[in-house]
């Protein structure tokens, strides 16, 4: 009997226990439209167990304890909680749209704000955009996706640096923006793009919270972290593809070249070099010889992420391997990264976080962007020459009229040996301690330790008689560089609401930053066996040439001590005001000028929250905002305010000549901070149920007290002695004025079809308003031995092109006789030559007639982007356009026997034949002097990326334990529409004075990709 009672109790308890755990399922829909929402995260509160809705908005969970709470979360919708009960195993959930554009939290520096409350000019690129673009380097994702930012490539070679300019170029020095990664100073190019959650760009005075380093704008990067109460997730992303050149230049084939050369020699009264042109054919296409097809690129990355109630984690690794379209592995790039991100709620008051990134890359390079470049040789090599001789060796190019610089580009690739290895570990450790519910104390230690090694080898070579690249003695050069920095931030945030409507947020803090490092460079001679395999200084034991010092080094140590404060106020969320100030002290300036103060103020008015605005109709949200502030810049070499022993000198001691050192750069103890005065007014507006978002800004950025090196000064000390130089002084002002406008449209037309379209444009005008101590500053090079083609000068855009202005082609001798005398240019003009304009009106053409003939800064840049989703298919396209930028064509050889681009077929051959392209001749003319004949409109429209993806039905993938499987195909750099004759109208060497001169830029490759995304 007792046994029976126990059995009954057991069965009762068992039945009760099973009754508390049951299965539940249902559908999640959008409130109002009733459309299902796929991808909603369904999580059991305070548990790691959860799932996601499928394409029909359906979900199911098994073994749910009664009384549990399900939390439904999805970007753009308000969180929804549902308490589970045994009486309802099938539920229907309606989620309300949350106007994400207003409630999205945006990182603004030492804090964050809802986007609705932002009073500065801020733009954001999210992870979805990065996923669609698939950039090799993350900087590429900023081009065309947000207004006010222009990204140019210095080269299309793998791993080449990119230049980012925010709201134009305002300084003659370092114009790159400050990059902050999870709170510490970092470098964009070292990141794996799939590790990035958001990129926030601060473009106006709101950047003043970062003070001395923020004059060129600030880029804030937030990397991906695990989410609380989410089960462990594995994401694997991979793509493979092949590359080819996006463009080759139309040069003359062998027959065209021979005929043109015959005409050139005949016009000079010389015997023609090709008496019989029959049978010559098309000859060698040198660009086809060096530009590869089907060049491989491959990328993998793997991420583990998740979290519990107290811990979040994200661990990832990536691998990228890219060969170059010129030279294959001789210009390859390999990058590996590893990242660990952890967060822990130690107590209710104390939170810890850390993010550590390890980056490694190896890069091999070829000579480019100059007279010695592989591409320059390929473009200018005569098509009548063969790559190899009868014995299978590389053909030796003749000298003389072909030039002593031009060599066989295939031989140049084979004999180039350059290797660069870079390793860096960086990151931060931080904590937040809630002293009171209103006051949080935060502290972060950021660090970077980087080491790089490079090696180059010059073997004994003979490229032909008289070639300047012939080498009679082998050598190996090895460099080792060590760069480090650390920062310590501590700041407190106080939040207080008074009388319900008055909200205050105050931040006050301190930053210590130190950057230090050293470099060692050495060259060894006589490498054993004349071979790369033995290229090491330890083996190269030959003595250097007399007077040569084969070793040099440097060491640096820069520090900044900063204090900052910010107070934000809003009344009822309608009237917004923010003021901030930062005090920076930098070791780059001398006593009396070390400290700079950088204040700013921003304000906003949410008009749509006013009572008079009425109920939201067409306009759902409207905010006006404005800002003004001063931001500093100390981006100059260390110790520029003093003179160091950098010069060379010979002294007499005891009747003997002794080599020693002398003063180098002339000192300037008055050197002080460069200041950027930033003004901005703008509006944010949402229309038609928040489907349309408009952002517009008008800005003026005035950079004063520019830090300009090399300004001549008077006095006893000179700047022309060996090793000496003129000082760096505060000597200029540049003004950028512009308008930004962006509009985005997003709509879900049905449960099957969704579309997003975005357009942005930036109109910019750049002008130099002051230079102290000089009429102008020169930069850049053109041709060989010519005057500098670029200038910084009052009244013009910084880096504008300064040369002769043309007025067509002389058609006959009468026109030559009637025109101003051009003989001062070095040659007497003849019919068929370029006619230059007498700018100063003195009846003769000289160097004094040079004038403004264009500039490399675009008048406007814009982007147009579209994303479509139809059922399981997704499509995206990103485009970018640049209008009004000029570029100098400087990749054509001046040698008489060099090949030419086919535009020369429309040359002048007699009166009336051409008024644009001069005659061909080997006699001396002024036709190759720098003029607007070589300055072209480099406006372009580029289809940057097209991608088509397909996501496998979750009912199928989940059977294999996979939550998401997506396949995609894509093309990067699909096509560029332009009239520019060169390889890349969007390239630049990055120099503020001398940029936009095309020395034969390595073309950006077109890349075809096949990729796979898998989530477990």
């Amino acid at each position: 009997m007792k046994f029976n009672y126990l059995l009954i109790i057991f069965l009762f308890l068992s039945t009760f226990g099973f009754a508390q755990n049951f299965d539940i399922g249902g559908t999640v829909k959008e409130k109002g439209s009733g459309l299902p929402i796929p991808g909603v995260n369904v999580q059991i509160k305070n548990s790691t167990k959860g799932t996601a809705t499928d394409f029909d908005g359906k979900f199911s969970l098994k073994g749910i304890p009664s009384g549990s709470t399900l939390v439904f979360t999805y970007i753009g919708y308000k969180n929804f909680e549902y308490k589970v009960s045994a009486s309802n195993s099938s539920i229907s959930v309606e989620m309300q749209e949350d106007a994400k554009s207003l409630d999205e939290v945006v990182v603004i520096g030492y804090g964050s704000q809802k986007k609705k409350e932002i009073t500065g000019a801020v733009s954001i690129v999210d992870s979805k955009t990065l996923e669609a673009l698939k950039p090799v380097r993350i900087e590429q994702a900023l081009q065309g996706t947000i207004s006010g930012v222009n990204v140019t490539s210095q080269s299309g070679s793998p791993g080449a640096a990119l230049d980012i300019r925010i709201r134009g170029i305002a300084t003659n020095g370092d114009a790159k923006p400050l990059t902050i990664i999870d709170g510490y100073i970092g470098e964009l190019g070292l990141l794996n793009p799939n590790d990035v959650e958001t990129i926030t760009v601060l473009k106006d005075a709101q950047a003043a919270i970062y003070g001395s380093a923020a004059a060129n704008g600030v880029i804030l990067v937030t990397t991906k972290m695990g989410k609380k109460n989410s089960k462990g997730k594995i994401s694997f992303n991979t793509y493979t593809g092949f590359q080819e050149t996006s463009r080759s230049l139309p040069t003359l084939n062998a027959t065209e070249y021979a005929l043109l050369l015959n005409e050139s020699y005949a016009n000079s009264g010389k015997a023609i070099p090709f008496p019989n042109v029959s049978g010559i054919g098309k000859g060698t296409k040198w660009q086809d010889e060096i530009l590869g097809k089907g060049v491989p690129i491959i990328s993998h990355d793997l991420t583990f992420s998740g979290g519990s109630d107290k811990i979040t984690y994200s661990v990832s690794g990536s691998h990228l391997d890219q060969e170059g379209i010129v030279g294959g592995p001789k210009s390859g790039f390999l990058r590996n990264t590893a990242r660990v991100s952890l967060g822990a709620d130690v107590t209710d008051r104390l939170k810890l976080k850390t993010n550590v990134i390890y980056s490694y890359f190896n890069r091999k390079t070829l000579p480019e962007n100059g007279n010695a470049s592989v591409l320059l040789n390929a473009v200018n090599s005569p098509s009548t020459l063969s790559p190899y001789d009868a014995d299978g060796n590389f053909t030796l190019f003749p000298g003389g009229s072909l030039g002593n610089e031009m060599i066989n580009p295939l031989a140049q690739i084979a004999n180039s040996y350059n290797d660069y290895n870079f390793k860096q570990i960086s990151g931060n450790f931080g904590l937040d301690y809630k002293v009171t519910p209103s006051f949080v104390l935060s502290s972060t230690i950021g660090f970077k330790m980087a080491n790089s090694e490079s090696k180059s080898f010059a073997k004994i070579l003979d490229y032909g008689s008289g070639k300047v690249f012939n080498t009679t003695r082998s050598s190996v050069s090895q460099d080792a560089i060590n760069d480090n920095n650390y920062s310590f931030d501590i700041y407190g945030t106080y939040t207080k609401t008074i009388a319900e409507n008055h909200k205050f947020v105050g931040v006050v803090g301190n930053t210590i930053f130190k950057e230090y490092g050293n470099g060692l460079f050495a060259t060894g001679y006589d490498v054993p066996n004349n071979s790369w395999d033995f290229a090491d200084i330890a083996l190269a034991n030959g003595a250097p040439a007399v007077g040569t010092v084969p070793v040099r080094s440097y060491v640096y140590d820069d520090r900044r001590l900063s204090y900052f404060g910010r107070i934000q106020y809003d009344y009822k969320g309608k009237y917004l005001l923010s003021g901030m100030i930062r005090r920076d002290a930098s070791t780059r300036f001398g006593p009396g000028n070390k400290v700079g103060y950088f204040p700013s103020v921003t304000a906003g008015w949410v008009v749509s929250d006013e009572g008079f605005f009425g109920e939201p109709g067409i306009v759902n949200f409207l905010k006006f905002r404005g800002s003004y502030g001063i931001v500093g810049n100390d981006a100059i070499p260390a110790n520029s305010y003093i003179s160091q022993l950098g010069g060379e000198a010979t002294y007499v001691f005891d009747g003997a000549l002794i080599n020693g050192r002398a003063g180098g750069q002339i000192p300037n103890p008055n050197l002080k901070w460069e200041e950027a005065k930033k003004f901005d007014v703008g509006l944010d507006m949402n229309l038609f149920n928040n489907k349309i978002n408009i952002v517009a800004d008008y800005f003026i950025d005035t950079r004063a007290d520019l830090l300009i090196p090399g300004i001549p000064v008077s006095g006893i000390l000179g700047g022309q002695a060996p090793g000496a130089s003129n000082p760096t002084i505060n000597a200029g002002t540049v003004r950028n004025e512009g308008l930004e406008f962006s509009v985005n449209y997003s709509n879900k037309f049905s449960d099957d079809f969704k579309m997003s379209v975005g357009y942005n444009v930036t109109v910019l005008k750049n002008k130099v308003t002051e230079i102290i101590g000089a009429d102008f500053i020169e930069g850049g090079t053109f041709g060989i031995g010519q005057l500098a083609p670029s200038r910084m000068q009052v009244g013009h855009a910084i880096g504008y092109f300064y040369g002769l202005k043309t007025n067509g082609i002389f058609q006959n001798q009468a026109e030559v006789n009637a025109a101003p005398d051009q003989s001062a240019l070095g040659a007497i003009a003849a019919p068929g030559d370029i006619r230059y304009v007498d700018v100063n009106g003195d009846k003769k053409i000289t160097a004094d007639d040079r004038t403004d003939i264009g500039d490399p800064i675009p008048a406007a840049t814009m982007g147009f982007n579209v994303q479509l989703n139809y059922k399981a298919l997704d499509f995206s396209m990103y485009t970018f356009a640049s209008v009004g930028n000029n570029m100098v064509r400087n990749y054509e050889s001046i040698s008489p026997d060099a090949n030419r681009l086919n535009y020369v077929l429309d040359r002048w051959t007699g009166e009336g034949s051409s008024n644009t392209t001069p005659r061909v001749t080997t006699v001396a003319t002024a036709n190759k002097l720098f003029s607007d004949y070589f300055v072209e409109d480099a406006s372009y429209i580029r289809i940057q990326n097209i991608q088509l993806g397909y996501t496998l039905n979750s009912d199928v993938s989940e059977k294999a334990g996979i939550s998401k499987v997506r396949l995609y195909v894509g093309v990067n750099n699909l096509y560029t529409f332009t009239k520019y004759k060169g390889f890349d109208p969007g390239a630049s060497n990055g120099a503020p004075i001398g940029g936009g001169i095309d020395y034969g830029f390595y073309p950006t490759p077109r890349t075809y990709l096949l990729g796979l995304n898998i989530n477990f």
Side-chain angles (χ1 to χ4, degrees):
M1 192 68 175
K2 186 176 181 180
F3 174 79
N4 290 336
Y5 284 129
L6 292 173
L7 181 61
I8 291 171
I9 293 172
F10 175 77
L11 291 173
F12 176 81
L13 293 173
S14 299
T15 304
F16 180 79
F18 279 108
Q20 307 314 301
N21 293 274
F22 57 93
D23 300 342
I24 189 171
T27 305
V28 181
K29 299 180 180 179
E30 184 180 80
K31 190 173 183 178
S33 68
L35 297 174
I37 308 176
V40 175
N41 187 48
V42 185
Q43 198 79 35
I44 301 174
K45 196 171 185 178
N46 299 323
S47 167
T48 59
K49 188 172 184 179
T51 187
T53 59
D54 62 16
F55 286 105
D56 298 318
K58 295 179 180 180
F59 74 94
S60 64
L61 283 168
K62 297 182 179 180
I64 308 301
S66 181
S68 299
T69 299
L70 297 182
V71 181
F72 297 80
T73 58
Y74 189 67
I75 295 175
Y77 292 81
K78 294 181 179 179
N79 292 355
F80 181 84
E81 294 189 1
Y82 180 86
K83 193 169 184 178
V84 173
S85 65
S87 62
N88 197 351
S89 60
S90 179
I91 63 175
S92 179
V93 173
E94 289 188 335
M95 296 187 70
Q96 186 173 347
E97 201 167 358
D98 195 20
K100 171 180 174 288
S101 61
L102 304 181
D103 290 335
E104 177 185 2
V105 175
V106 178
V107 177
I108 58 170
Y110 302 105
S112 60
Q113 278 184 302
K114 288 185 177 180
K115 197 167 186 180
K116 177 181 178 179
E117 301 169 349
I118 293 292
T119 51
V122 176
S123 296
I124 301 170
V125 176
D126 59 21
S127 58
K128 289 184 178 179
T129 302
L130 296 173
E131 184 176 335
L133 283 170
K134 286 291 180 294
V136 173
R137 291 177 62 105
I138 200 167
E139 301 99 311
Q140 296 167 322
L142 298 174
Q143 183 76 303
T145 56
I146 56 179
S147 61
V149 178
N150 192 20
V151 181
T152 57
S153 63
Q154 295 184 13
S155 166
S157 61
L162 296 167
D163 290 306
I164 302 174
R165 300 291 180 258
I166 297 176
R167 291 184 167 179
I169 300 173
T171 179
N172 62 296
D174 189 350
K176 67 182 179 182
L178 173 68
T179 300
I180 305 292
I181 302 172
D182 292 327
Y184 68 93
I185 296 176
E187 299 173 59
L188 278 179
L190 300 179
L191 290 174
N192 168 26
N194 278 333
D195 281 340
V196 175
E197 184 70 33
T198 61
I199 304 173
T200 303
V201 181
L202 308 182
K203 297 180 282 189
D204 67 345
Q206 192 149 9
I209 195 69
Y210 289 106
S212 62
N216 300 317
V218 178
I219 297 175
L220 304 175
V221 178
T222 302
T223 59
K224 294 177 180 176
M225 299 185 68
K227 293 178 173 58
K228 286 186 176 181
N229 299 315
S230 62
K231 62 182 180 179
K233 175 184 175 183
I234 302 175
S235 298
F236 176 67
N237 302 292
T238 183
Y239 64 78
T240 185
F242 61 90
Q243 309 162 89
E244 63 184 20
T245 183
S246 55
R247 199 173 196 192
S248 59
L249 306 190
T251 54
L252 302 179
N253 64 36
T255 300
E256 292 170 333
Y257 168 79
L259 290 171
L260 188 80
L261 208 63
N262 283 346
E263 181 182 324
S264 176
Y265 273 63
N267 286 341
S268 309
K270 298 180 181 179
I272 59 175
F274 294 95
N276 183 9
V277 297
S278 62
I280 290 180
K282 294 186 176 181
T284 303
K285 295 182 179 180
W286 284 101
Q287 292 176 78
D288 288 352
E289 294 291 330
I290 68 161
L291 291 169
K293 295 182 179 179
V295 179
I297 181 173
I298 189 167
S299 173
H300 307 296
D301 72 78
L302 184 67
T303 302
F304 301 86
S305 63
S308 64
D309 230 8
K310 303 291 185 182
I311 303 291
T312 62
Y313 63 89
S314 179
V315 181
S316 66
S318 73
H319 170 78
L320 171 76
D321 195 351
Q322 180 185 15
E323 288 191 8
I325 58 172
V326 179
K330 282 284 182 108
S331 64
F333 178 68
L334 182 147
R335 183 187 66 207
N336 293 323
T337 69
R339 185 178 67 96
V340 177
S341 177
L342 298 172
D345 293 351
V346 180
T347 68
D348 291 339
R349 291 190 171 192
L350 180 62
K351 297 180 180 180
L352 301 179
K353 56 187 177 182
T354 183
N355 187 53
V356 178
I357 300 175
Y358 171 78
S359 302
Y360 165 83
F361 70 80
N362 173 267
R363 186 176 182 228
K364 296 177 173 61
T365 57
L366 296 169
E368 57 179 289
N369 293 346
N371 288 330
S373 78
V374 172
L375 276 168
L376 207 70
N377 284 323
V379 169
N380 293 285
S381 293
S383 47
T384 52
L385 296 176
S386 299
Y388 306 97
D389 61 21
D391 298 324
N393 299 315
F394 291 116
T395 299
L396 299 179
F397 282 16
S401 56
L402 191 57
N404 293 329
E405 298 86 12
M406 193 180 303
I407 58 177
N408 187 324
L410 291 176
Q412 189 177 18
I413 292 173
N415 295 319
S416 292
Y417 301 93
N418 297 289
D419 192 38
Y420 178 77
N421 289 287
F422 179 90
K423 304 179 188 70
Q424 176 176 293
I425 184 167
S426 59
N428 66 349
F429 299 93
L431 63 84
D432 294 326
Y433 182 72
K434 187 178 290 186
V435 181
T436 70
S438 300
F439 181 63
V440 177
L441 188 65
S442 302
S443 180
T444 302
I445 296 176
F447 67 94
K448 179 189 84 171
M449 295 181 290
N451 293 280
S452 63
E453 297 177 350
S454 61
K455 180 191 290 188
S456 60
F457 169 56
K459 66 190 301 184
I460 298 173
L461 291 168
D462 181 9
Y463 286 113
S465 176
K467 297 296 181 179
V468 296
F469 302 113
N470 289 343
T471 307
T472 58
R473 189 180 187 189
S474 63
S475 64
V476 56
S477 295
Q478 292 179 248
D479 308 337
I481 297 174
N482 176 35
D483 294 314
N484 308 273
N485 68 43
Y486 70 79
S487 62
F488 176 73
D489 296 292
I490 184 167
Y491 59 96
T493 304
Y494 181 75
T495 305
K496 183 68 174 178
T497 301
I498 301 174
E500 295 186 1
N501 295 323
H502 302 272
K503 180 181 177 183
F504 294 87
V505 179
V507 176
V508 61
N510 163 237
T511 295
I512 299 170
F513 179 76
K514 179 175 179 176
E515 193 169 27
Y516 60 99
N518 55 73
L520 179 63
F521 311 87
T523 301
Y525 298 90
D526 300 335
V527 175
N529 300 319
N530 193 33
S531 168
W532 170 252
D533 295 332
F534 297 89
D536 193 279
I537 288 179
L539 301 176
N541 52 14
V546 176
T548 300
V549 179
V551 179
R552 62 185 179 90
S553 65
Y554 69 82
V555 63
Y556 69 96
D557 185 347
D558 293 326
R559 285 157 284 166
R560 287 197 297 267
L561 175 64
S562 308
Y563 300 93
F564 58 87
R566 177 178 62 208
I567 187 166
Q568 297 163 304
Y569 166 76
D570 80 65
Y571 175 69
K572 291 186 177 181
K574 293 187 297 185
Y575 309 112
L576 312 168
L577 185 65
S578 176
M580 63 197 80
I581 188 167
R582 179 157 173 145
R583 176 194 185 273
D584 279 317
S586 172
T587 57
R588 293 182 177 178
F589 301 107
N593 292 315
K594 289 185 181 296
V595 176
Y597 292 90
F598 308 107
S600 70
V601 61
T602 67
W605 176 29
V606 183
V607 183
S608 54
D609 281 357
E610 295 286 2
F612 63 75
F613 196 80
E615 291 295 321
I618 295 176
V619 181
N620 309 114
F621 175 77
L622 175 62
K623 177 178 67 178
F624 294 111
R625 49 184 169 74
S627 67
Y628 179 78
I630 299 174
V631 190
N633 182 26
D634 65 348
I636 54 174
N639 301 313
S640 294
Y641 67 94
I642 61 176
S643 180
Q644 303 178 81
L645 294 178
E648 302 172 10
T650 302
Y651 301 91
V652 178
F653 288 104
D654 297 328
L657 294 177
I658 305 297
N659 292 326
R661 290 289 183 182
Q665 175 179 283
I666 296 174
N668 176 19
N670 297 319
L671 198 64
K672 63 180 182 178
W673 293 86
E674 183 176 299
E675 292 185 340
K677 300 175 182 179
K678 295 178 179 287
F679 169 79
D680 182 280
V681 291
L683 68 84
D684 303 327
M685 183 165 55
N686 289 357
L687 307 173
F688 302 107
N689 294 323
N690 298 304
K691 290 182 173 64
I692 296 178
N693 168 249
I694 294 174
V695 179
D697 285 89
Y698 168 75
F699 63 88
I700 300 174
D701 187 341
T702 303
R703 189 70 60 89
D705 294 323
L706 289 182
L707 295 163
I708 302 178
I711 296 291
V713 295
S714 60
I716 298 174
L717 293 174
Q720 304 302 315
S725 63
N726 287 306
T728 297
I729 68 173
N730 298 99
T733 303
V734 175
R735 173 187 167 106
N736 280 298
E737 181 180 5
L739 178 68
E740 295 175 8
F741 176 81
S742 66
V743 56
N744 294 281
Y745 170 76
S746 181
N747 192 20
K748 189 173 184 179
F749 294 93
S750 68
D751 56 346
D752 290 334
F753 181 57
K754 181 179 179 181
M755 179 176 71
S756 297
V757 178
Y759 170 78
N760 66 79
V761 60
T762 303
V763 179
L764 180 71
K765 184 177 181 180
N766 177 281
K767 188 176 182 180
V768 178
T769 60
E770 181 186 39
I771 298 179
I772 299 173
D775 293 331
F776 54 84
I777 300 169
E778 293 181 320
T781 59
F782 179 83
I784 298 176
Q786 294 201 40
L787 298 172
S790 294
R791 283 190 173 186
M792 175 181 175
Q793 189 172 4
V794 172
H796 302 268
I798 189 170
Y800 81 98
F801 301 131
Y802 187 72
L804 295 169
K805 189 174 181 180
T806 65
N807 185 24
I809 305 296
F810 288 118
Q811 297 297 318
N812 50 53
Q813 189 60 43
E815 289 186 2
V816 174
N817 296 337
D821 181 17
Q822 295 188 179
S823 60
L825 299 178
I828 297 174
D833 286 339
I834 294 175
R835 173 168 38 204
Y836 295 109
V837 176
D838 182 15
V839 173
N840 61 10
D842 63 356
K843 305 301 182 182
K844 56 184 177 179
I845 306 297
T846 67
D848 293 335
D849 289 301
R850 290 179 297 163
T851 186
D852 187 338
I853 55 175
D855 73 80
I857 301 175
T861 56
M862 60 194 76
F864 175 75
N865 313 308
V866 60
Q867 297 174 343
L868 305 173
N869 294 81
Y870 179 72
K871 293 185 176 181
L873 291 172
D874 61 86
F875 171 82
S876 64
M877 180 179 71
Y878 289 81
T879 65
F880 176 77
S882 178
V883 179
N885 54 300
N886 298 121
M887 187 169 282
V888 174
R889 192 175 72 248
N890 192 32
Y891 48 79
E892 297 173 296
S893 173
I894 63 172
S895 301
D897 286 7
N899 203 352
R900 299 284 184 264
L901 269 64
N902 65 3
Y903 74 83
V904 77
L905 297 177
D906 295 326
R907 68 202 173 279
W908 186 91
T909 55
E911 187 168 351
S913 58
S914 175
N915 199 37
T916 56
T917 307
R919 63 181 177 137
V920 291
T921 180
T922 63
V923 300
T925 70
N927 293 338
K928 296 192 176 182
L929 291 178
F930 181 57
S931 69
D932 59 15
Y933 176 69
F934 297 97
V935 179
E936 297 184 18
D937 180 4
S939 301
Y940 68 95
I941 300 174
R942 175 171 292 161
I943 302 175
Q944 299 194 115
N945 172 275
I946 284 184
Q947 189 179 125
L948 177 65
Y950 175 79
T951 303
L952 193 66
N953 191 303
S954 59
D955 291 339
V956 177
S957 61
E958 286 179 357
K959 292 179 181 179
I962 302 173
S963 59
K964 178 184 176 181
V965 177
R966 178 178 177 266
L967 290 163
Y968 66 88
V969 292
V971 186
N972 289 342
N973 192 32
L974 178 62
Y975 193 79
T976 300
F977 301 89
T978 184
K979 294 182 178 179
Y980 180 63
K981 298 184 181 71
F983 282 109
D984 188 353
S988 173
N989 63 12
I993 307 172
I997 300 175
D998 190 346
Y999 302 96
F1001 287 116
Y1002 190 124
T1004 302
R1006 179 183 296 123
T1007 307
Y1008 302 89
L1009 300 175
L1010 173 63
L1012 174 67
N1013 309 131
I1014 303 178
N1015 293 343
F1016 295 91

